[in-house]
Amino acid sequence: MMMYYILVGAIALISMLVSNRLKSKFKHYSKVHLRNGMSGAEIAEKMLADHGITDVKVISTPGQLTDHYNPRNKTVNLSDVVYSQRNAAAAAVAAHEVGHAVQHAQAYGWLTMRSQLVPVVGVASKFSMFAIMGGIILMSAASVGIGKMVLLIGLGMFAMGTLFSFITLPVEYDASNRALAWLERKNMVSREELAGAKDSLKWAARTYVVAALGSLATLVYLALSFLGSD
C-alpha cells in the first residue's frame, strides 16, 4: 500500500503544480486588456449569436475558475472575474465555454458520449474506492474469493471514471480550438491578445491531461496489484 500512497501523492503534487501554473497564467493575462473593450459576457454572447444559438443564456457564477457550460439548462456559466472583466484571459475562457455550447448545438460526438456517461460515472466514482478498499480488507481477512470479486467490481467502476477522463480530453481541446478559431476569424483580439488566449487555454487543457493520466496510472497500479495477488 505504501507504493499506492506514493503514487497518489505524486499525482496530487503534479496536479497542484499545473493548477498553480494555470492560476498564474490567468492572473498574468488578466492584465492584457482587450482593445475592443468587451467583457467576457459580451464575448460569449457575441460568439453564441455568430453561431446562430439563441436558446443559451450567459450567466455569472461565484468563485474563480468555476466556468462551465451546463447542457441540461443550456447556460454558459462564467465566474465573476470572467463575466465582467475585459482582458485576454476572460475572452479565452468565455469563448471556450461557448465552444461547448456550439458542440452541444452541433451534436459533437465526443460531447454526446461524455454526456451519456455522466450518470453512470457519477455513481461509479462515489463507490469505486469503497469497493476497492473493501475488497482488499476482505482478502486480508481470509475471504479471498469474495474479496477479489468486490475488488474487481471496484476496479471496473474506477475504470469507468478513467475512461470518462480520457473522453473529456477531445471535448476540451475541441472547445478551445473552436474558441481560438472564432476569436481570430472574427478579429476579436489582437495578436498579443490571441497569444495570451492560446497560452491560457493550453494550461487549462493540461489540468485535464494530468487528471486523465493520473487516473490511468492509479488504475494500472491497482489492476497489477490485483492480478499479482492472484
Side-chain angles (χ1 to χ4, degrees):
M1 287 301 292
M2 180 58 68
M3 284 301 298
Y4 172 73
Y5 291 123
I6 292 174
L7 175 62
V8 171
I11 293 170
L13 177 60
I14 295 172
S15 179
M16 182 183 70
L17 291 174
V18 173
S19 178
N20 287 339
R21 185 62 170 169
L22 171 60
K23 291 177 181 178
S24 174
K25 289 289 185 179
F26 188 88
K27 183 178 180 180
H28 174 74
Y29 292 118
S30 292
K31 298 176 182 178
V32 179
H33 299 290
L34 293 182
R35 63 177 182 179
N36 61 23
M38 296 176 70
S39 66
E42 291 167 340
I43 289 285
E45 290 168 352
K46 175 78 165 90
M47 185 172 172
L48 286 169
D50 284 352
H51 285 84
I53 300 174
T54 59
D55 58 347
V56 173
K57 292 183 179 180
V58 179
I59 62 176
S60 178
T61 188
Q64 184 179 12
L65 299 178
T66 52
D67 313 86
H68 64 281
Y69 170 67
N70 188 333
R72 288 173 294 182
N73 60 11
K74 292 190 175 183
T75 56
V76 171
N77 299 261
L78 302 179
S79 59
D80 296 333
V81 293
V82 171
Y83 187 88
S84 59
Q85 295 300 308
R86 306 169 188 276
N87 52 60
V93 174
H96 172 87
E97 298 307 334
V98 174
H100 288 307
V102 176
Q103 290 174 336
H104 189 198
Q106 298 179 356
Y108 178 61
W110 287 106
L111 179 65
T112 301
M113 188 186 304
R114 183 180 183 275
S115 298
Q116 292 172 343
L117 284 174
V118 168
V120 177
V121 173
V123 174
S125 63
K126 289 181 180 179
F127 298 105
S128 61
M129 290 310 298
F130 288 108
I132 290 170
M133 296 306 296
I136 293 173
I137 292 172
L138 287 171
M139 289 172 66
S140 65
S143 301
V144 179
I146 297 176
K148 284 186 176 181
M149 182 180 297
V150 174
L151 180 58
L152 188 59
I153 291 172
L155 288 173
M157 291 190 291
F158 195 92
M160 289 297 297
T162 301
L163 175 63
F164 185 81
S165 296
F166 277 92
I167 290 176
T168 294
L169 295 182
V171 174
E172 295 300 324
Y173 275 98
D174 180 77
S176 291
N177 290 336
R178 290 172 188 264
L180 293 170
W182 177 80
L183 288 171
E184 186 174 19
R185 184 174 67 253
K186 294 295 182 177
N187 197 31
M188 299 297 295
V189 291
S190 65
R191 285 189 178 182
E192 180 188 6
E193 293 161 359
L194 182 64
K198 286 181 178 178
D199 200 25
S200 297
L201 294 180
K202 176 183 70 178
W203 281 97
R206 286 177 178 175
T207 63
Y208 291 99
V209 173
V210 170
L213 292 178
S215 181
L216 178 62
T218 303
L219 176 63
V220 169
Y221 172 80
L222 292 172
L224 289 177
S225 297
F226 167 67
L227 294 174
S229 65
D230 199 2

